[in-house]
Amino acid sequence: MLHVCDPLQESCCFSLWFQFFEMALSLEEEIRRQRQQMHMTVYAQCISPNGKYLVAGNNYGTIAVFSITASLSAEANKETWKPLVSFKAYDGAIYALVSTEKFLISAGCGDIKGWAWTDVFQKNPKVSWSLSLPASSNFGAFETNALAYSTKDNVLYSGGGDCKVYAWDLESGTKKETLSGHTDYVHCVSLYNQSQQLASSAEDGSVRIWDARTSGEAVHIIEPHKHEECARPQHGKWVGCVSVDAGEEWLVCGGGPSLSLWHLRSLTPTVTFDAPNCCPQVVTFHEDSIISGGSTPFVYHWNINGDPKTKVPCTATRVFSLAVNTESESNKVLCVSGNSSLIDVYTNFGYRAFSLDFC
Amino acid sequence: MSSTTIPLKKKRRLGSKPEVEPSQISPPKDTKKLKRAQDSTSHSQESTGAYSEELEVLKRDGQQDLELHRSECANLRQIMQDIQSAKMSDADDKDEYVANKRMQASLHFVTLKKLNRLSHFRCKAARETTMAGKQRVDSLHLQLQNLLYEVMHLQKEIKKCREFKSKDEDIELVDVDTFYREAPSEIATPHSTKKDPHKQRLARLDWELEQRKRLAEKLKDCQSNTDILAREINTKEEYLDSLQPQLATILQATIPVQEYLSMPIHEIRAQHQTAKLLPRPLYILYVQASAYQEARDSSMSLKIEGDKDAVISAGSASPVIEEESDSDNEESLTQSKRRRKTVGNKLEEKRQKLLAKHPLQVIMTLKFRDGSVLTLTFSYLTSLHIVSVGVDLKLSSAAKTTTVTSDLLSPDRLLSCLHPGDTGLVSPNASNAYQFSKLGMDSMSSYIGKTGHPYRWAQWLAGLDFLPEDSEATKATTAISTSHMESTLKALRSRTRARLALTKQLTSLERNTVPVPAQSVGLFPAKIAARLTSWATITKEDFQALLFMQRSPALELAEDYQHFYLATCSRGSAILKAAVLLSVDYPRCPPHIVIGVTLTGEHNHSNDNDIRDLESELNLHYDELVTEKSHDYLLSNQLQRLLMCFDVYVETRGEGEGAEGPTEFAREKMFIRLTRGRGRSKPYKYNAQYRYFTQR
């Protein structure tokens, strides 16, 4: 059961508390806060199951919950664009957030942590459970860069610094499978084919396709930097993002190499999306188009045939996360975050409506 | 009787005739008999004379006489008629008849005459009786009048008596119960007075008198007592007055001893004496500062300087602003040229007066460990009601040898913004703006040279607190001064210390060496390949115009009173330019550094996330660079870290570019991972213990 509070009232309470908090800060703390905001990066976002809230995690390990309904309402102002609640979840950065029916799952520098939505909405977030990565190097723990959740069999897939992809059974809280084969750290994982197959992209320049049910070798390996049409040696070979369309026919990936569309059955690149100087960090299929963001202050919308649809400017100079609210039709927005404390919100996808302030 | 009534009369006649007829006929007969009887009496009385007739009148009845007169007259008329009728008739015996009748008539006349006389008498008698009655009435009336008058007089007397007031009624007496309780029985005599209210009152009055006499006696006693006491006080005062010169001479005599023992008791006393002449704000400042000096800070010293006599001659130096009517100013515009000149002089005088300082000043001297001395001269501007500070910093010989190129230590800038926004150029007293504009002067800032800086902390030390809205309540209070003294003095010291250290660092930086303090050496690797190649002071405009500054949030931080520098570092073909924004509140507010790198293209925070990470390494994680002792050397530590991170930046860049042949930048440092996380961040963090670099 979800506890849903009145978002407006919540934001009011919060802003009052926040003002009090701000006044109590000394000069030194105020300077620190200001500089933290100036150098903030929001790596991860996700939408709550009811589609009313946006959760974001930043490089300081803070998770903030924003009310989408309140910020879209007619009375919205600067205060409603601030977090309803924010809490420190990690000492290091948060790289990934996913949402299940009952839990908000976060990952970054440290364990994978589950937070019950009910606790989060009651502004009393506490760790419901946590999963520890099996191995750690001598020089500190590995980070988790990507999460994917399979609703069908309640399995969580995570990929990170130790070059492996793990499958976690959330029912028992144990590690089910280990998918190893990457030679450098994993950037992104993506599930498809009713969660039976998994694509992962890594710093080593490869995209690997796995059978999600077994822990064998990778079924296929794609190496974009070895294909002339998308290779860009000056940006490196790393692949930062991967995504597969709903029809399970097309795979899109990019990073150092250009963003490119691959035909899954023949494993050949068909289209290259040409965006100079942009190293894609995040890509997603939405309806019949592809939305991507990367190392330029723009969000790109592409047609599946490779033609650019639009190029929409955003606040962050490097985009790390795109979140489309598909849970609630009335709150259907695109949220874009990156190396800025502001999270841009697009209501009609072509024009930036306002920015949420992660402070 | 009328003929119409005949029938009625006839009837009546029938019944009454026999009665009426005889009565009508008989009276003449009766009268005849009466007359005869009267005649006989009157005849008998004639012999007694006139008096008898008067008496007769008294005896007779007037009414009968009237009847008699009438009957006589009727008889007479009858006789006349008989005579006439006889004369008319031609009877023979008429003469005789007439003679008879004449005789009868004469008798009747006699009777008439008698009646006439009688009536005259009667009339006279009546008049006399009326007269007598009238006289009696008069006398009675007079008597009545007299009696009425007497009654009135008596009533008046009674009223006068009733209204009489006795003096004893005004006297407030003790009430009856108290009287019987307190008064002795010889005065009270209850057995007699209890029943008689008059006696009781008298007794009470007696008792009152007795009491008053006693009180008067007492008063006299007391007065004599006070006289005695006053005399005693007088003598004692005289004695005390004579004591003062004696003490002064004794004190004078002790001066050589004091000098010998080097105890400047007398001097301090003299200072305290002078302190009494200080205006209230400076007095509070002096008292509080000297209290602080005794309790906490012995390296601080206080002095009062100025023209003591000027204050004494000015009497109670109460700062009264001359209220000048506006019409005066308007007048001056319309006056002739010559007059205008004099008015101009007058205006100038007024301006001078507005900026006038109190003749006495408090001088505070703070000594620093390296030998530098900070002298603060506090003056009170009597018309503006504010305290201004003159700043003077004497550098120690060690510090002097360094070439000071910046204005960091200039008296004008040294203590600026000790509290946020307190530039010391604007008067904290809002009402001053009006005083200035009235005399056609500019704002306070153009007269700072004359007055000194009216820093807000100086007002606090002097117990003045100007709220932004309420400028009227400028009564200096000690509480304000007490609460700010320690923090302000600490701030003054740390500011000056920081500035001295900063000047040293800047001098060193201008020689292109980063002066890393000994305590912080361990924070950095021993070998850093990048070098500082130049260090320059730039203006705010230059700072904002820098190419890599564009779109930087740091632009909003730039203020006029801050300091801006441009550092250039290089390693081989890579050139790094760092714009340093140094806040006046350094090191409380750490320097903010913005970076641009030229290496196969321009790199800055907006097109290269690694540069942004580098900036946050410097600007956000400065606390790792601050150790207790090296606090003031934060800038140097930041620049050293900048050089280190610049090394990391160029050394890790080659990866992923195909790495054809030897790269320009040999990897000299130990990196665990070149990139990490979604942001592919670089290993800027140095682990000093194991000497490797890792991601934050």
Side-chain angles (χ1 to χ4, degrees):
Chain A
M1 277 291 286
L2 288 178
H3 172 80
V4 183
C5 308
D6 175 20
L8 274 175
Q9 195 186 342
E10 274 174 42
S11 68
C12 279
C13 293
F14 185 80
S15 70
L16 275 176
W17 176 80
F18 188 78
Q19 277 172 0
F20 170 76
F21 180 67
E22 214 168 24
M23 277 166 66
L25 286 177
S26 70
L27 180 67
E28 281 86 353
E29 284 167 325
E30 177 60 30
I31 291 168
R32 175 168 287 277
R33 198 188 64 79
Q34 194 184 351
R35 296 208 172 167
Q36 272 199 349
Q37 194 162 0
M38 209 182 276
H39 292 101
M40 192 187 289
T41 304
V42 182
Y43 286 116
Q45 297 178 101
C46 79
I47 307 276
S48 71
N50 58 6
K52 285 181 179 168
Y53 299 94
L54 174 75
V55 182
N58 69 6
N59 58 332
Y60 307 118
T62 308
I63 291 178
V65 183
F66 300 90
S67 168
I68 301 175
T69 33
S71 56
L72 285 174
S73 69
E75 301 91 52
N77 56 36
K78 286 217 161 125
E79 289 305 316
T80 55
W81 294 338
K82 284 182 175 172
L84 291 178
V85 62
S86 63
F87 55 96
K88 182 97 175 155
Y90 288 88
D91 288 331
I94 294 171
Y95 290 120
L97 289 168
V98 289
S99 130
T100 72
E101 197 55 45
K102 279 185 182 160
F103 297 102
L104 165 70
I105 303 167
S106 63
C109 299
D111 295 343
I112 297 168
K113 294 176 187 175
W115 316 77
W117 279 117
T118 44
D119 292 345
V120 172
F121 291 139
Q122 279 163 3
K123 299 185 179 177
N124 181 26
K126 47 183 182 276
V127 180
S128 298
W129 46 263
S130 67
L131 306 168
S132 299
L133 294 177
S136 79
S137 74
N138 296 331
F139 306 101
F142 288 115
E143 82 281 6
T144 302
N145 288 326
L147 292 176
Y149 176 69
S150 156
T151 324
K152 204 178 73 181
D153 34 44
N154 197 19
V155 173
L156 181 75
Y157 297 88
S158 74
D162 56 356
C163 316
K164 294 184 177 75
V165 177
Y166 298 110
W168 306 85
D169 182 8
L170 291 190
E171 205 63 56
S172 58
T174 51
K175 183 161 60 83
K176 234 172 85 180
E177 315 281 356
T178 307
L179 309 175
S180 47
H182 279 296
T183 55
D184 209 332
Y185 73 87
V186 178
H187 268 287
C188 184
V189 292
S190 179
L191 275 171
Y192 68 102
N193 192 13
Q194 293 167 343
S195 305
Q196 292 183 12
Q197 278 178 299
L198 179 87
S200 66
S201 71
E203 181 74 12
D204 62 6
S206 67
V207 175
R208 285 169 199 244
I209 294 165
W210 315 80
D211 185 340
R213 295 162 295 184
T214 58
S215 54
E217 289 279 309
V219 182
H220 302 293
I221 299 175
I222 298 169
E223 286 179 302
H225 66 279
K226 289 186 176 161
H227 289 77
E228 229 174 273
E229 46 279 57
C230 48
R232 286 189 299 190
Q234 74 272 22
H235 292 301
K237 59 183 184 181
W238 56 280
V239 185
C241 54
V242 63
S243 184
V244 181
D245 80 323
E248 290 152 26
E249 210 169 328
W250 304 102
L251 177 143
V252 67
C253 66
S258 301
L259 191 69
S260 50
L261 188 73
W262 295 68
H263 189 240
L264 261 179
R265 259 170 292 170
S266 59
L267 296 176
T268 45
T270 50
V271 175
T272 305
F273 303 101
D274 188 31
N277 290 323
C278 178
C279 299
Q281 287 281 2
V282 57
V283 67
T284 181
F285 284 94
H286 178 69
E287 289 164 359
D288 48 359
S289 63
I290 295 167
I291 307 171
S292 76
S295 59
T296 48
F298 297 102
V299 176
Y300 300 88
H301 296 252
W302 310 93
N303 279 325
I304 208 126
N305 62 5
D307 295 338
K309 235 176 169 178
T310 48
K311 187 171 116 178
V312 188
C314 62
T315 313
T317 55
R318 193 178 182 111
V319 177
F320 282 109
S321 170
L322 299 170
V324 182
N325 187 1
T326 49
E327 305 286 344
S328 160
E329 199 54 41
S330 60
N331 296 336
K332 190 176 166 187
V333 290
L334 168 66
C335 303
V336 177
S337 74
N339 58 0
S340 162
S341 62
L342 300 176
I343 299 171
D344 296 338
V345 178
Y346 298 80
T347 46
N348 69 352
F349 290 22
Y351 172 75
R352 185 169 66 88
F354 57 90
S355 296
L356 299 168
D357 193 1
F358 197 137
C359 53
Chain B
M1 286 201 196
S2 64
S3 54
T4 52
T5 59
I6 285 171
L8 270 174
K9 274 184 177 175
K10 270 179 182 171
K11 259 186 187 171
R12 210 178 259 178
R13 233 176 252 169
L14 284 168
S16 59
K17 209 170 182 177
E19 287 177 24
V20 175
E21 289 287 23
S23 67
Q24 275 182 335
I25 299 162
S26 64
K29 284 174 185 173
D30 284 339
T31 47
K32 268 178 192 170
K33 282 174 186 169
L34 263 175
K35 201 186 92 188
R36 275 171 197 154
Q38 275 171 356
D39 281 347
S40 60
T41 53
S42 62
H43 280 297
S44 62
Q45 278 175 353
E46 255 171 272
S47 57
T48 56
Y51 286 106
S52 58
E53 228 171 14
E54 279 178 14
L55 291 173
E56 196 189 346
V57 166
L58 289 174
K59 283 171 192 163
R60 292 181 67 101
D61 186 18
Q63 201 58 40
Q64 282 174 353
D65 284 352
L66 187 60
E67 295 294 322
L68 188 64
H69 171 73
R70 276 180 193 156
S71 64
E72 286 305 306
C73 287
N75 290 340
L76 213 53
R77 261 180 234 127
Q78 194 59 49
I79 294 165
M80 288 306 164
Q81 271 172 352
D82 290 348
I83 296 170
Q84 195 186 11
S85 52
K87 277 189 177 170
M88 290 302 210
S89 60
D90 293 329
D92 301 338
D93 59 343
K94 71 175 178 186
D95 287 336
E96 197 191 338
Y97 183 79
V98 171
N100 195 19
K101 283 291 176 181
R102 199 177 286 155
M103 211 168 53
Q104 278 182 341
S106 303
L107 282 173
H108 285 297
F109 269 119
V110 170
T111 316
L112 276 178
K113 213 174 170 184
K114 168 89 178 168
L115 281 174
N116 186 32
R117 207 162 46 236
L118 279 176
S119 73
H120 272 292
F121 276 120
R122 196 172 276 146
C123 187
K124 192 185 161 199
R127 199 172 286 145
E128 273 168 8
T129 47
T130 312
M131 212 54 147
K134 205 176 171 187
Q135 252 171 354
R136 223 180 107 235
V137 167
D138 275 355
S139 72
L140 284 172
H141 186 72
L142 193 66
Q143 208 175 344
L144 177 69
Q145 289 277 330
N146 283 340
L147 287 170
L148 280 175
Y149 182 76
E150 205 170 330
V151 165
M152 215 159 72
H153 178 72
L154 287 172
Q155 273 174 346
K156 214 182 272 174
E157 287 296 309
I158 289 163
K159 206 175 168 190
K160 215 183 266 174
C161 289
R162 287 244 169 91
E163 281 171 2
F164 175 75
K165 273 207 165 177
S166 170
K167 262 191 183 168
D168 74 295
E169 281 169 32
D170 298 336
I171 298 168
E172 285 178 29
L173 295 173
V174 291
D175 61 82
V176 184
D177 293 341
T178 335
F179 166 67
Y180 281 118
R181 212 166 42 241
E182 288 179 354
S185 57
E186 61 263 28
I187 292 173
T189 53
H191 56 274
S192 63
T193 54
K194 278 232 164 130
K195 284 163 204 158
D196 186 350
H198 182 66
K199 267 189 183 165
Q200 189 190 43
R201 185 157 185 91
L202 284 178
R204 281 170 74 188
L205 282 169
D206 274 350
W207 173 235
E208 186 70 26
L209 180 66
E210 188 70 22
Q211 273 179 317
R212 288 194 181 194
K213 267 180 190 164
R214 273 186 224 165
L215 288 172
E217 196 71 24
K218 213 174 180 179
L219 175 72
K220 212 185 252 171
D221 279 0
C222 290
Q223 268 171 346
S224 64
N225 253 348
T226 49
D227 282 351
I228 291 162
L229 287 173
R231 233 172 289 134
E232 252 173 60
I233 289 164
N234 262 339
T235 50
K236 279 179 183 169
E237 265 177 359
E238 273 165 27
Y239 173 69
L240 285 176
D241 284 348
S242 69
L243 207 59
Q244 172 69 21
Q246 281 181 33
L247 287 174
T249 49
I250 291 169
L251 215 57
Q252 202 65 34
T254 60
I255 288 173
V257 183
Q258 278 181 31
E259 278 166 10
Y260 184 70
L261 295 171
S262 69
M263 286 164 64
I265 301 166
H266 190 70
E267 234 169 80
I268 291 170
R269 208 180 142 266
Q271 284 273 305
H272 286 190
Q273 206 67 38
T274 324
K276 281 180 189 161
L277 298 169
L278 286 171
R280 187 172 160 83
L282 286 185
Y283 181 72
I284 288 175
L285 174 80
Y286 181 77
V287 170
Q288 291 300 321
S290 58
Y292 182 75
Q293 175 200 9
E294 273 176 33
R296 301 293 294 274
D297 191 347
S298 53
S299 64
M300 180 179 105
S301 67
L302 277 172
K303 231 173 11 178
I304 298 173
E305 272 190 8
D307 192 356
K308 203 161 81 175
D309 300 331
V311 187
I312 297 168
S313 65
S316 58
S318 56
V320 179
I321 318 153
E322 274 184 40
E323 279 304 323
E324 205 55 52
S325 63
D326 290 337
S327 61
D328 261 25
N329 290 345
E330 285 162 21
E331 219 177 296
S332 69
L333 296 172
T334 54
Q335 290 298 328
S336 68
K337 205 172 185 180
R338 189 189 59 196
R339 174 136 169 98
R340 194 178 297 165
K341 200 178 163 191
T342 60
V343 169
N345 285 343
K346 213 172 146 195
L347 196 66
E348 196 52 46
E349 251 173 53
K350 267 184 227 155
R351 288 177 178 178
Q352 290 294 341
K353 211 170 190 177
L354 187 65
L355 295 174
K357 289 178 182 176
H358 192 273
L360 288 179
Q361 293 158 341
V362 175
I363 295 173
M364 186 189 281
T365 319
L366 297 169
K367 288 195 183 73
F368 290 88
R369 208 167 294 147
D370 70 341
S372 302
V373 177
L374 176 69
T375 312
L376 301 173
T377 311
F378 293 94
S379 339
Y380 181 59
L381 303 176
T382 47
S383 299
L384 296 174
H385 293 290
I386 50 174
V387 172
S388 67
V389 189
V391 184
D392 186 31
L393 182 67
K394 277 203 188 72
L395 294 171
S396 63
S397 50
K400 256 181 197 164
T401 53
T402 62
T403 50
V404 181
T405 48
S406 70
D407 57 353
L408 281 171
L409 291 177
S410 80
D412 286 342
R413 303 291 290 272
L414 179 63
L415 298 177
S416 149
C417 292
L418 208 56
H419 293 276
D422 186 12
T423 54
L425 297 173
V426 187
S427 167
N429 188 349
S431 62
N432 289 357
Y434 300 107
Q435 288 173 308
F436 276 110
S437 67
K438 188 183 234 180
L439 295 180
M441 299 162 83
D442 300 339
S443 65
M444 182 88 190
S445 47
S446 26
Y447 299 94
I448 291 296
K450 269 187 205 167
T451 57
H453 293 275
Y455 290 118
R456 232 174 284 152
W457 51 264
Q459 320 305 318
W460 291 335
L461 288 192
L464 298 170
D465 196 5
F466 300 100
L467 296 171
E469 298 88 18
D470 177 26
S471 60
E472 291 307 308
T474 55
K475 186 102 175 87
T477 49
T478 315
I480 297 167
S481 177
T482 319
S483 59
H484 285 93
M485 181 60 73
E486 182 161 7
S487 61
T488 306
L489 282 175
K490 274 189 179 158
L492 282 173
R493 277 183 179 281
S494 64
R495 162 62 65 86
T496 314
R497 221 180 291 127
R499 282 293 168 88
L500 287 168
L502 191 57
T503 317
K504 261 189 215 162
Q505 293 174 61
L506 290 174
T507 322
S508 170
L509 287 170
E510 273 166 16
R511 293 197 299 263
N512 296 337
T513 37
V514 180
V516 181
Q519 303 96 325
S520 320
V521 167
L523 294 173
F524 309 105
K527 194 182 173 217
I528 294 177
R531 286 280 162 264
L532 179 69
T533 51
S534 88
W535 177 265
T537 309
I538 54 171
T539 64
K540 183 188 170 195
E541 288 70 31
D542 293 341
F543 179 79
Q544 285 165 334
L546 288 169
L547 264 180
F548 55 87
M549 279 299 296
Q550 302 321 310
R551 292 193 60 182
S552 169
L555 279 175
E556 291 163 20
L557 301 174
E559 302 272 359
D560 276 328
Y561 49 85
Q562 283 162 331
H563 304 273
F564 305 95
Y565 302 95
L566 182 66
T568 314
C569 311
S570 68
R571 178 167 173 191
S573 62
I575 293 167
L576 178 144
K577 283 188 185 293
V580 182
L581 190 154
L582 190 72
S583 164
V584 282
D585 211 8
Y586 171 89
R588 260 182 96 199
C589 180
H592 195 100
I593 300 172
V594 184
I595 298 160
V597 173
T598 313
L599 173 66
T600 59
E602 295 289 336
H603 301 269
N604 58 48
H605 76 279
S606 58
N607 63 13
D608 193 334
N609 207 37
D610 296 333
I611 298 290
R612 192 169 176 268
D613 286 347
L614 208 168
E615 285 178 8
S616 77
E617 198 69 27
L618 301 173
N619 296 330
L620 185 58
H621 301 290
Y622 53 83
D623 48 347
E624 295 160 8
L625 301 170
V626 178
T627 53
E628 194 53 45
K629 288 266 173 87
S630 66
H631 191 259
D632 293 331
Y633 280 86
L634 177 60
L635 177 65
S636 301
N637 286 343
Q638 276 180 309
L639 289 172
Q640 186 71 4
R641 182 180 263 190
L642 172 67
L643 293 175
M644 175 183 92
C645 292
F646 184 39
D647 268 0
V648 173
Y649 178 76
V650 294
E651 284 177 26
T652 54
R653 248 184 80 79
E655 173 62 24
E657 289 178 17
E660 295 150 0
T663 50
E664 188 194 343
F665 308 107
R667 197 162 298 161
E668 295 164 337
K669 297 174 175 63
M670 191 161 77
F671 306 118
I672 304 303
R673 285 169 64 184
L674 292 179
T675 55
R676 184 183 179 209
R678 300 259 291 131
R680 306 185 77 235
S681 50
K682 287 192 184 296
Y684 286 127
K685 191 177 169 186
Y686 180 62
N687 184 320
Q689 198 184 348
Y690 301 108
R691 299 186 184 170
Y692 64 84
F693 286 82
T694 180
Q695 278 84 356
R696 185 165 293 280

